[in-house]
Amino acid sequence: MIECLRILESVNLPAHIVAHSLQVARCAVTLARHLNNNSHRLHEDLVCAGSLLHDIAKDLSLKTGKNHAHLGAAILEQMGLSLVAPIVRDHIFLNESMLEAPFSESVVVNYADKRVKHEAIVLLDERFEDLLVRYGTTPEKKAHLQRRWKIYRALEQKLFAHTSIKPEHLAQEAAQVSWAVGHCDGSQ
Ligand SMILES: [Fe+2]
């Protein structure tokens, strides 16, 4: 984790994006732990590293106009973090066919990111209502976001069917996540 935060510092990621990424990591690690308690085999360090680094290129993408997920993955590949890079590349993509696949670190980080609005852990509906207001500026964009909303609802149902908690309990549990020093360094 310390290593991931150093990486974010080295690229001068703004503090509010670091704060957002920490919240995503809390949600993703909480969810991964619950899934692992129910016989899944998710690599928690990788989930943590992917969450912390998922928006590494967000600021850069605003300046260059490039896709922040692809740009972030390329940066991490260059750093030799080849296991984390695909998680970052995939964190904004989800289609129906991915719902049929076994749970992965990528899907957990992807979902967790949709539970954090700026720096606050919120319900999926609140996050998508906000996205609709901000980005649903044409009928096509609105319809696209509504389709995505529906897929994420289905993913949420599938994920939480394998946990002992409900989606609305995630924020409270995530707030209690503590990090071990040296844990989650993203290099494995
Ligand atoms: Fe994010």
Side-chain angles (χ1 to χ4, degrees):
M1 182 193 185
I2 301 293
E3 187 55 37
C4 290
L5 294 177
R6 275 201 200 107
I7 290 171
L8 296 182
E9 203 180 331
S10 74
V11 298
N12 291 320
L13 199 67
H16 69 279
I17 303 180
V18 176
H20 163 82
S21 304
L22 278 162
Q23 290 289 61
V24 173
R26 286 189 182 97
C27 286
V29 168
T30 301
L31 183 54
R33 286 177 184 169
H34 273 284
L35 292 168
N36 285 344
N37 285 342
N38 193 15
S39 311
H40 291 275
R41 302 209 182 285
L42 296 162
H43 193 309
E44 290 178 19
D45 287 0
L46 203 48
V47 166
C48 184
S51 304
L52 289 173
L53 298 172
H54 80 279
D55 274 344
I56 187 170
K58 190 87 176 189
D59 201 37
L60 198 57
S61 76
L62 293 174
K63 290 167 190 156
T64 61
K66 290 186 177 168
N67 178 293
H68 81 283
H70 285 137
L71 196 54
I75 291 169
L76 295 170
E77 282 285 2
Q78 272 185 350
M79 290 177 176
L81 301 178
S82 56
L83 290 182
V84 189
I87 299 176
V88 172
R89 186 193 61 219
D90 295 341
H91 87 270
I92 57 171
F93 306 107
L94 186 73
N95 57 46
E96 277 98 345
S97 66
M98 289 160 79
L99 294 175
E100 307 307 320
F103 295 142
S104 64
E105 289 80 6
S106 274
V107 155
V108 169
V109 173
N110 191 327
Y111 170 77
D113 184 41
K114 307 307 166 297
R115 290 294 307 269
V116 182
K117 185 173 90 176
H118 307 301
E119 297 164 29
I121 301 171
V122 296
L123 293 175
L124 204 55
D125 286 355
E126 187 177 336
R127 177 75 148 93
F128 271 91
E129 277 158 15
D130 178 61
L131 289 173
L132 269 181
V133 171
R134 286 196 290 148
Y135 301 111
T137 49
T138 65
E140 293 76 23
K141 286 180 182 173
K142 206 171 170 181
H144 174 70
L145 277 166
Q146 279 165 335
R147 273 197 305 277
R148 276 170 58 80
W149 192 348
K150 203 173 151 197
I151 298 173
Y152 277 99
R153 271 207 203 108
L155 174 65
E156 180 172 76
Q157 267 191 355
K158 193 181 162 199
L159 283 166
F160 282 86
H162 291 250
T163 72
S164 57
I165 59 166
K166 292 183 173 167
E168 52 267 38
H169 300 143
L170 188 65
Q172 201 185 356
E173 287 215 12
Q176 291 162 14
V177 167
S178 60
W179 317 102
V181 173
H183 186 75
C184 179
D185 66 5
S187 60
Q188 298 168 49

